[in-house]
Structure formats: C-alpha cells, structure tokens
Amino acid sequence: MNQEQESENRQLQDEEIMALEAIYPEAFQKDESSPDAYTYTLNLDEDDDTIRSPRKVVLRFFLPPTYPNQDMPVYEISSIYCGTKKLDDAMLDSIDAGFHSLFQPTQVVLFEWISWLHDYLEENVEKQVTEEEQEQEKMAETMSQLQIEEEEEYDENESYDYNPEDYYKKKDTLVHEKEDESHDRPTVRSLMGPNNYHTEEPPSIFTSEALVDRKSIFVAHVAKVHSIHDVKVVLAHLLQNKKIARATHNILAYRITMPDGKVLQDNDDDGESAAGGRLSHLMQILEVENVVVVVTRWFGGIHLGPDRFKDINNVARTALNECGFISEKHTKGNENNKHKKKK
C-alpha cells in the first residue's frame, strides 16, 4: 500500500469516526489504550431501566492503516453474556461471518456492523419481560391486527402487478393518526393525509431505476432542497402517487447546509427500523449537501434480512451519484478498485 492510499484511508477513517461519534455520542468512545482503537457499547434495553440484566455487549475496534481500502477493522467482543444469555461459540461464529459478509474493500463498515449486530442480537437474545408485560404485548398485537384488517382496501389474492417495473404489494396497512400541527419534523405519516404542500411547485425530482432483490422493489427519489419546507413539498408530491403512498416503506433522509454553515439533517424510518439512520449515515459519509432522498420499498413476500439495508443504501447512492451530489473524492476509491479487479 502506497502513501497516497494510506492517506486516503486515514481520511475515510476520520470521517467515519466523526459520523459515529455524532450518531452515538455516549456509546461510541475512544479507547485510550491505543491511538487507533475505539469501543462501542450496544445496549438493546437502554430505554428500560427496570430490567435487571439488560442485553448489553461491548465491542472494541482497531482500525489498521489498510482499512478500508484493503482490510477490514480488527474487532473483539469483550462481553461474555448478553443479558442472561451466554455468547457461545456458535453465536460468535455467526457474528464473525456476518461482519465479513458486510465488508467491501474501499467502503467503511463500522456503522453497518453496529446496525447488523443490533438486529442479530435483537432476534437471537430474548428480552426479559414480566407476565404482565407479556399480556400487554399480546393485547396490543391483537388490537393492531384488527385495526389493520379493518383498513385494508385491497384483496390479498390480488397481490402483485405483472409488470416487474411496477411490481408492488397492494396491501394498504397504513394507520392514519392525527399529527400535532406544531410539529415541524417532516415524516411520511404526517404528510400522508390532507395538506397543502402538494399544491406548491416542487423542485425537480429524480427517480432511479428499480433495484429488484428477491421480488422486493427498491426505488430512490432525489431532489435538491434548501429548507424543511422544500423537504415537505417534495415528500407530499411523491405521496400523491398512489403506488408510492401504498408502498411498504418510504425511507426518508435529508441534509441541508444552513447559511451559518451548520448542517440540518434528519430521517424517518417509516416502519423500517433503523433504515432512516443508516441512510442518513450514508449521506454523512458522502458529505452530500442540500438534498433529500426517499427510498421506496415494495415488499415482495421474501424476507431479505440485513441485505435490505444494503439495497436501500445502494439504490440511494447510485441516485445521488447520477444527480451529481457525490464529490469526486468519494467515487475515486470505487473506480480504482474496479480497475484493480480487471487486471
């Protein structure tokens, strides 16, 4: 590895660390034992202080000079237990395999690792709940299902269109709620109902080609914005399209550089847990400015697991690149990597 590549790696590492410290100000910390080591404390039950043994693990990362251009970070899980469940060899092997599958040379990966581990532990380590909480959960699930069934407008037997480009699930499971008028945060739910934003002239909206993965469809919509109001206008116009409005998820993220140089950014998962944060992190890493991205997903009936987050970020990154929002320094590494593979 030459000096230029090492310098490029260092810059990418610094940008990634700054983003992670902003996203996880308390959980992600510098490990003072080494200049290139960091720790992250993942606590699945941080919002519930009644649990005696919270599901918590501590990871330690070391960033070699060859990361991310060539090698992945070195990591260790210093926790023996996650809650009351021991992290046995089978789980550690699964985590290692998951981490290896997510790493792609030239791409920073720590946020993807943290997000993947969160989902993996959430799925494999049960939360401690009381009998009263279990009954409450069952009651909530039953009431939610009844409400969804009452609001369905389409027959499940008519599941999909025949055209792959327009392939979407027609089952409408949206539950409309009254939005607080004083709440200024743009969300898909708040702009689904009646509003005046769609009557305004929107900025030019770019819509990408469809990415199809095991019958699920992902499409990115990108527009230049300069204010929260612009974000709402773009989102409201997109939701006027019935296919988009009835999609399984519309993941939203935006970054706006204010006149004083500060960056205004936020996201909305729209029911796809952690997807908005991952999309926002991608935009931070790419340093895009004054842009809103909405990734629409139509579920195809096959669960994609962590791959769905790759699809969301890939279709968003491609759209941002095609619209010219990604600077050359964030595309140079990928181009060099492609040339290397051709030799």
Side-chain angles (χ1 to χ4, degrees), residues 143-145 147-149 151 172-178 189 192:
M143 296 302 295
S144 176
Q145 185 60 37
Q147 190 171 15
I148 289 173
E149 290 175 356
E151 295 190 2
D172 181 9
T173 60
L174 292 173
V175 180
H176 300 290
E177 296 178 350
K178 294 181 179 180
R189 184 69 58 82
M192 190 70 72

Side-chain angles (χ1 to χ4, degrees), residues 226-294:
H226 297 281
S227 66
I228 295 295
H229 186 88
D230 289 348
V231 175
K232 291 184 176 182
V233 171
V234 170
L235 185 54
H237 272 269
L238 287 173
L239 294 174
Q240 288 299 297
N241 184 313
K242 291 183 179 180
K243 289 185 178 180
I244 295 176
R246 293 192 176 109
T248 314
H249 305 290
N250 284 292
I251 300 99
L252 164 74
Y254 61 87
R255 297 189 86 231
I256 301 171
T257 301
M258 307 302 289
D260 60 1
K262 294 182 180 179
V263 176
L264 181 64
Q265 58 187 356
D266 202 352
N267 62 82
D268 179 24
D269 295 332
D270 190 32
E272 183 70 285
S273 180
R278 296 173 191 232
L279 183 56
S280 183
H281 174 69
L282 172 69
M283 296 171 70
Q284 284 181 303
I285 293 297
L286 297 177
E287 297 180 298
V288 296
E289 296 182 346
N290 300 323
V291 61
V292 59
V293 180
V294 178

Side-chain angles (χ1 to χ4, degrees), residues 157-190:
N157 293 327
E158 292 185 7
S159 297
Y160 306 103
D161 283 351
Y162 289 106
N163 185 352
E165 292 290 333
D166 294 329
Y167 186 97
Y168 70 99
K169 187 131 181 158
K170 289 184 176 179
K171 185 176 181 181
D172 181 9
T173 60
L174 292 173
V175 180
H176 300 290
E177 296 178 350
K178 294 181 179 180
E179 191 74 14
D180 183 356
E181 293 181 359
S182 65
H183 186 55
D184 194 46
R185 180 172 178 258
T187 64
V188 175
R189 184 69 58 82
S190 67

Side-chain angles (χ1 to χ4, degrees), residues 305-342:
D307 286 348
R308 68 191 187 278
F309 299 117
K310 287 185 183 179
D311 293 333
I312 291 168
N313 276 12
N314 284 340
V315 73
R317 182 179 185 129
T318 300
L320 287 167
N321 190 43
E322 290 184 12
C323 292
F325 285 101
I326 302 179
S327 63
E328 183 179 352
K329 71 175 182 178
H330 291 295
T331 59
K332 180 179 178 181
N334 291 334
E335 292 172 358
N336 290 340
N337 192 50
K338 292 178 181 178
H339 292 316
K340 290 178 183 178
K341 290 181 180 179
K342 290 180 180 179

Side-chain angles (χ1 to χ4, degrees), residues 133-145:
E133 288 174 329
Q134 289 177 342
E135 290 300 323
Q136 290 176 348
E137 288 180 3
K138 290 179 181 178
M139 179 63 70
E141 290 177 3
T142 301
M143 296 302 295
S144 176
Q145 185 60 37

